[in-house]
Amino acid sequence: MYIILVYDMGEKRVGKMLKLCRKYLNWIQNSVFEGELSDVKLLELKSKATKLMDKEVDSLIIFVSRQERWLEKEILGKERASTDIFL
Amino acid sequence: MYIILVYDMGEKRVGKMLKLCRKYLNWIQNSVFEGELSDVKLLELKSKATKLMDKEVDSLIIFVSRQERWLEKEILGKERASTDIFL
């Protein structure tokens, strides 16, 4: 499954979420990740992410496309190289 | 077509991008929009967005799914009501 993940975290927790998401997906922009994940790995990521979050404040949205080819991607402006880290 | 749009803009331009994107899509999280758009409307949005951007600094990514039903969405934590505006 192809995943797009976006989060909006409290400042104290954003570093940990960035670190966690990088283990599963590719960082593409400030608080935005994408990549291929199995069902099992997605469940694992969600469970770990939920433990990191303050559910009253933090927000995480996951879009799942069964096939990467069903999803076209276009970048306008500067492509954030995956080595650039912006918290 | 179903659209997911994420941007990472310089502070001076982010307000204008927010205003522009709100005319075409639904704000769902800090710098993240989604919604249904025709080809023509997407072209229009992209052209206006490009004019707003400093292409050396700003980044905008558009994901297009031909069918909304090909895209599942899950929200963990707090759902950002569309009335909440965070620049």
Side-chain angles (χ1 to χ4, degrees), chain B residues 50-83:
Chain B
T50 312
K51 284 181 191 125
L52 280 184
M53 293 169 68
D54 174 342
K55 290 184 203 67
E56 295 311 312
V57 176
D58 303 332
S59 169
L60 186 144
I61 304 174
I62 294 171
F63 295 95
V64 179
S65 175
R66 289 285 144 196
Q67 309 269 350
E68 182 176 358
R69 58 187 168 73
W70 289 355
L71 208 55
E72 295 150 44
K73 174 180 161 185
E74 185 176 356
I75 297 172
L76 303 180
K78 190 164 178 350
E79 179 159 359
R80 299 285 190 251
S82 64
T83 47

Side-chain angles (χ1 to χ4, degrees), chain A residues 2-85:
Chain A
Y2 203 77
I3 308 291
I4 300 164
L5 181 151
V6 295
Y7 57 69
D8 187 4
M9 301 285 293
E11 229 171 284
K12 286 183 211 135
R13 293 174 297 282
V14 67
K16 280 186 189 151
M17 186 59 88
L18 170 66
K19 228 172 129 191
L20 171 66
C21 291
R22 293 203 94 142
K23 289 179 188 158
Y24 291 85
L25 296 166
N26 305 308
W27 182 95
I28 54 170
Q29 197 186 83
N30 192 10
S31 307
V32 183
F33 287 78
E34 67 170 348
E36 195 71 36
L37 273 187
S38 67
D39 285 284
V40 171
K41 283 294 179 191
L42 178 57
L43 271 175
E44 200 180 284
L45 171 58
K46 283 195 295 189
S47 135
K48 289 179 182 173
T50 311
K51 283 181 191 126
L52 280 184
M53 293 169 68
D54 173 343
K55 290 184 201 66
E56 295 310 311
V57 175
D58 303 334
S59 169
L60 186 143
I61 304 175
I62 295 171
F63 294 94
V64 179
S65 175
R66 290 284 144 198
Q67 309 267 350
E68 181 176 359
R69 58 186 168 77
W70 290 354
L71 209 53
E72 295 150 43
K73 174 180 161 186
E74 184 175 357
I75 296 172
L76 302 181
K78 191 167 180 337
E79 179 160 1
R80 299 284 188 252
S82 63
T83 47
D84 296 3
I85 299 175

Side-chain angles (χ1 to χ4, degrees), chain B residues 26-68:
Chain B
N26 305 308
W27 182 96
I28 54 170
Q29 198 185 81
N30 193 10
S31 307
V32 182
F33 287 77
E34 68 169 350
E36 196 72 37
L37 273 187
S38 67
D39 285 287
V40 171
K41 283 293 178 190
L42 178 57
L43 269 175
E44 201 180 284
L45 171 56
K46 283 196 293 189
S47 134
K48 289 179 181 173
T50 312
K51 284 181 191 125
L52 280 184
M53 293 169 68
D54 174 342
K55 290 184 203 67
E56 295 311 312
V57 176
D58 303 332
S59 169
L60 186 144
I61 304 174
I62 294 171
F63 295 95
V64 179
S65 175
R66 289 285 144 196
Q67 309 269 350
E68 182 176 358

Side-chain angles (χ1 to χ4, degrees), chain B residues 4-17:
Chain B
I4 299 163
L5 181 151
V6 295
Y7 58 69
D8 189 3
M9 299 286 293
E11 230 169 285
K12 286 183 209 137
R13 292 173 298 284
V14 67
K16 280 186 189 151
M17 185 61 87

